[in-house]
Amino acid sequence: MTREQAPPGGRPPLSLYGEELAPGARVGGFTVEEVRHRGVVAVLYRARDDRSGTPMALKVMRPQYASSESALRRFDQECRMLEQLAHPHIVRVLESGELRDGRPWLAMEWLEGRDLEAELAARGPFPPREVLRVLEPVASALGAAHALGIVHRDIKAQNVMVRPGEGGAPHVTLVDFGIAKLLDPGHRSIALTTTGVTVGTPVAMAPEQILRDPVDARTDLYGLGVLLYQLLTGRLPFSAGSQAELEELHLHAPPPAPSHLAPVTGAMDAVVKRCLAKRPEDRYPDTATLMEELRRAVEPSVGSAGQARGLGLYLRARPESGEDADDAALDALDRVLDTARERLTRWRLALMVEGADFLLAATPVPAEATASRARRLEVLASIGTLWPELERLVAGAGLHLEAILHVAEAVVEPGLAGEPQVVDGPLLREGRWTTGAGRAGVFVTREVLEGLTPAPETRPVPGHEALAELVRA
């Protein structure tokens, strides 16, 4: 841990180092840029590493808590826990230290994206298979924490960040271990909380947290159950006009079945019900068991779905310079994604995944050869019609616009109206086939062109033998 040094010339100006740090304040080797979140005990800033220029997150305790032994101990505990938790889906700590007035600070990686609450507000409930894809990394992160005797105690949509990852696949990160609790080797609670104080977020607190009873890993499984319910239905399992009423519901009321609000199976209802059991011993024993049951609930039953083939379309627009997009580019990006979303839905390509600068849509490909060729040609013709419009939308905005089409095995099952739809399978592992050609355009894989007569005009992509670029008049 490092202590902040005074700048040349003596004490720093109060305008920079008052109760909140102002833009330009230096902490360790970092320079504050702006406030991003004001918490009860600490303030989160966006800052920049003076050495590399990369953005990072800086969490600084509020001055009024710097003399509180329990608050200082809890902040120090968060630093130590994050240093232990080297996990790809847990926010990474970079450095920690103290200001001259004794306020501790913690520097962490900056996560450019939005939390699951914002994702839900923007797009509504997630389909079950996408819920599984989001919860897998969260459960993996919690499993790693629990193995070290750490309980998060505040699992909620706001504490799960989603951002574009490698190949456009979403990367999920669990954040905010500020109220996490250490357990002894026997997994009993080690109290750092003042007696009589309830710690957690009311909308997702387990009954034992409300009652201030000992907590363990199963407390986080209750939080995962609340998050699972919210992702499936777009709503929380309980809502009330006051915290007291909300706590009563968590303590005594059975949660409504998700299937009453969303098209999910009874098996999914059973998983949610067990997660939200009032007694810890009635919940799943660990994240691994929970995720095994969740996968079973999500996977289609034998006879209701089949291995088939599907056609996937991956569309991405990103700044040509590689720098952050400016306002004009962001506006153009929104127009591109909105237009593509509307057209693809009209052409019966279902949206499977959507990120900040990309989307993935898919449609089943009929097994019969003639129908398969007809469907692929139909999609290619549709993209040929759409592409000039998308190019006009990005003109002058400095955006690199790229689309890739691929055909692969997929799990297909009937939708709500009985029509076949892609729900899973290798086609939806887009990171395996979305390696771009490095330039703007529409590209197709060999699988898309197989047996097409007449074949659309294409040209090879140097260095990408599996890709061909569509030639448009």
Side-chain angles (χ1 to χ4, degrees), residues 18 52 54 77 89 134 139 143 179 192 200 236 298 318 338-339 342 348 362 373 380 385 419 459:
S52 65
T54 58
Q77 174 181 294
H89 297 290
V134 169
I179 66 167
L192 284 181
L236 291 162
V298 170
R318 63 182 187 274
D338 288 345
T339 300
E342 188 272 328
R348 296 179 290 119
R373 289 193 293 268
L380 288 170
T385 301
E419 78 289 356
R459 52 177 166 244

Side-chain angles (χ1 to χ4, degrees), residues 104-118:
W105 55 266
L106 174 64
M108 298 168 286
E109 65 176 320
W110 181 259
L111 303 175
E112 194 64 62
R114 59 185 180 185
D115 60 43
L116 276 181
E117 185 174 59

Side-chain angles (χ1 to χ4, degrees), residues 442-467:
V442 180
F443 305 91
V444 295
T445 62
R446 288 193 299 263
E447 290 82 358
V448 176
L449 300 174
E450 182 182 353
L452 292 187
T453 305
E457 186 180 354
T458 62
R459 52 177 166 244
V461 179
H464 292 265
E465 290 76 13
L467 286 179

Side-chain angles (χ1 to χ4, degrees), residues 62-112:
R62 291 183 178 274
Q64 59 266 40
Y65 292 97
S67 59
S68 167
E69 183 179 343
S70 62
L72 288 169
R73 203 165 17 165
R74 184 168 295 286
F75 199 97
D76 179 63
Q77 174 181 294
E78 180 180 6
C79 296
R80 289 187 290 112
M81 285 190 297
L82 285 173
E83 287 166 354
Q84 293 180 65
L85 291 171
H87 189 277
H89 297 290
I90 294 177
V91 64
R92 182 166 52 92
V93 66
L94 304 174
E95 193 177 332
S96 62
E98 287 182 3
L99 300 181
R100 286 179 310 289
D101 61 7
R103 279 183 282 172
W105 55 266
L106 174 64
M108 298 168 286
E109 65 176 320
W110 181 259
L111 303 175
E112 194 64 62

